[in-house]
Amino acid sequence: MSLKNLIDTNKLPQHIAVIMDGNGRWAKEQGKNRIFGHSNGVKSVREVSEACAELGVKYLTLYAFSTENWNRPKLEVVALMELLVQTIRKETRTLMDNNIRLKAIGNIETLPSRCHKELLESIEITKNNSAMDLVLALSYSGRDEILQAVKAISKEVQAKQINADDLTEEDIQKHLFTNEIPDPELLIRTSGENRISNFLLWQMAYTEFYFTETYWPEFRKENLYEAILDYQKRERRFGKTSEQISTPS
Ligand code: IPE
Ligand code: IPE
Ligand code: MG
């Protein structure tokens, strides 16, 4: 039986974020190079996107390339960028068929121009789709995102458009890449690493974390269902007591 049947569709996270990790180690175990791992990770992206759309999850954010990943060997970076171009080109049709809108967060203008162009094209083609937003984090850094927000707000204060004392959390939120996206309720990280690696730092203030040993290229729909079921067993208290949650005043 599929774990899917056990999921309470009234308690679905509307936004799931995923740190897709372990491609390199998975490939090494197969006696293959790291690039082979990345190529095989594409199937997992397809599976998880499809499963989320089928369930009715509204936003899926995938950490595909961090700012820090630019420091990897040049050959690996080039291969990852090539894979990105190929995948976007191939999968835009699937996004259309499944009514999925593509979005990107991060400093995407730093991507090689071919990647950037392919990405913007697919975003444009899919912009009126409405079943789910598939958000790719590319050349993304959570600290840099906050820094950019601080810079933009500082300029507004300097220009006297806003008073520093009147600033709110919403003002910061407004300047993030995710300004139109609700915070994720659930974060999944594969491959047994228990850290957030500069991902969505502001947005994950109250996110539930789910860590699994499974390497990303082996992650399938059933693994996603397992993560959602684990999430549904948790009590999200937001600082309150358990009693307050079960009998809201
Ligand atoms: C995740 O897999 C993919 C990217 C970071 C682009 P890794 O390449 O980090 O795989 P490991 O962690 O070395 O196994
Ligand atoms: C995080 O994975 C970035 C992505 C999944 C794109 P890494 O494998 O780069 O993370 P660290 O450096 O091991 O923390
Ligand atoms: Mg890794």
Side-chain angles (χ1 to χ4, degrees), residues 16-23 26 37 40-49 51-52 60 62 186-192 210-228:
I16 299 179
V18 185
I19 303 180
M20 311 183 286
D21 200 9
N23 296 354
W26 177 82
N40 277 272
V42 176
K43 174 146 203 267
S44 310
V45 170
R46 215 177 287 131
E47 286 250 332
V48 168
S49 309
C52 283
L60 172 66
L62 302 176
L186 172 62
L187 169 82
I188 298 171
R189 184 170 189 151
T190 58
S191 88
Y210 177 86
F211 297 109
T212 169
E213 295 291 321
T214 308
Y215 289 139
W216 180 249
E218 284 181 337
F219 199 88
R220 291 290 171 267
K221 288 185 180 182
E222 289 300 317
N223 302 94
L224 177 84
Y225 302 148
E226 208 175 329
I228 295 176

Side-chain angles (χ1 to χ4, degrees), residues 166-208:
D166 297 335
L167 284 172
T168 62
E169 291 188 3
E170 282 68 37
D171 291 314
I172 296 180
Q173 160 70 24
K174 237 175 25 207
H175 286 88
L176 301 177
F177 291 122
T178 52
N179 64 343
E180 285 170 340
I181 302 171
D183 293 343
E185 292 96 331
L186 172 62
L187 169 82
I188 298 171
R189 184 170 189 151
T190 58
S191 88
E193 303 298 357
N194 300 350
R195 53 179 178 262
I196 57 173
S197 304
N198 210 359
F199 192 37
L200 301 176
L201 298 180
W202 175 275
Q203 297 86 341
M204 295 211 289
Y206 256 109
T207 299
E208 296 292 334

Side-chain angles (χ1 to χ4, degrees), residues 20-25 34 38 64 69 72 76 80:
M20 311 183 286
D21 200 9
N23 296 354
R25 278 163 288 161
R34 301 180 53 84
H38 298 316
N69 289 146
R72 290 196 177 191
E76 181 172 347
L80 274 167

Side-chain angles (χ1 to χ4, degrees), residues 32-150:
K32 299 277 176 36
N33 64 21
R34 301 180 53 84
I35 319 292
F36 181 78
H38 298 316
S39 311
N40 277 272
V42 176
K43 174 146 203 267
S44 310
V45 170
R46 215 177 287 131
E47 286 250 332
V48 168
S49 309
E50 197 178 279
C52 283
E54 283 166 359
L55 282 170
V57 172
K58 297 306 282 179
Y59 303 86
L60 172 66
T61 301
L62 302 176
Y63 203 5
F65 195 84
S66 71
T67 308
E68 291 75 20
N69 289 146
W70 289 114
N71 299 318
R72 290 196 177 191
K74 181 137 193 286
L75 212 64
E76 181 172 347
V77 172
V78 169
L80 274 167
M81 292 301 150
E82 189 51 37
L83 189 63
L84 181 66
V85 176
Q86 300 297 342
T87 308
I88 294 173
R89 192 171 293 157
K90 266 215 317 262
E91 302 294 334
T92 304
R93 185 72 256 157
T94 325
L95 295 177
M96 291 309 288
D97 291 344
N98 292 299
N99 195 18
I100 298 173
R101 172 164 52 203
L102 186 69
K103 285 189 173 164
I105 56 172
N107 293 315
I108 58 167
E109 63 293 338
T110 63
L111 297 172
S113 61
R114 219 155 56 89
C115 278
H116 189 218
K117 192 170 149 270
E118 202 73 45
L119 185 64
L120 292 183
E121 262 172 38
S122 187
I123 289 173
E124 176 63 26
I125 294 171
T126 62
K127 73 175 180 202
N128 293 321
N129 291 346
S130 56
M132 183 180 85
D133 281 2
L134 174 63
V135 186
L136 295 182
L138 288 164
S139 194
Y140 176 87
S141 149
R143 282 193 171 179
D144 184 61
E145 180 182 39
I146 295 170
L147 177 63
Q148 289 191 35
V150 170

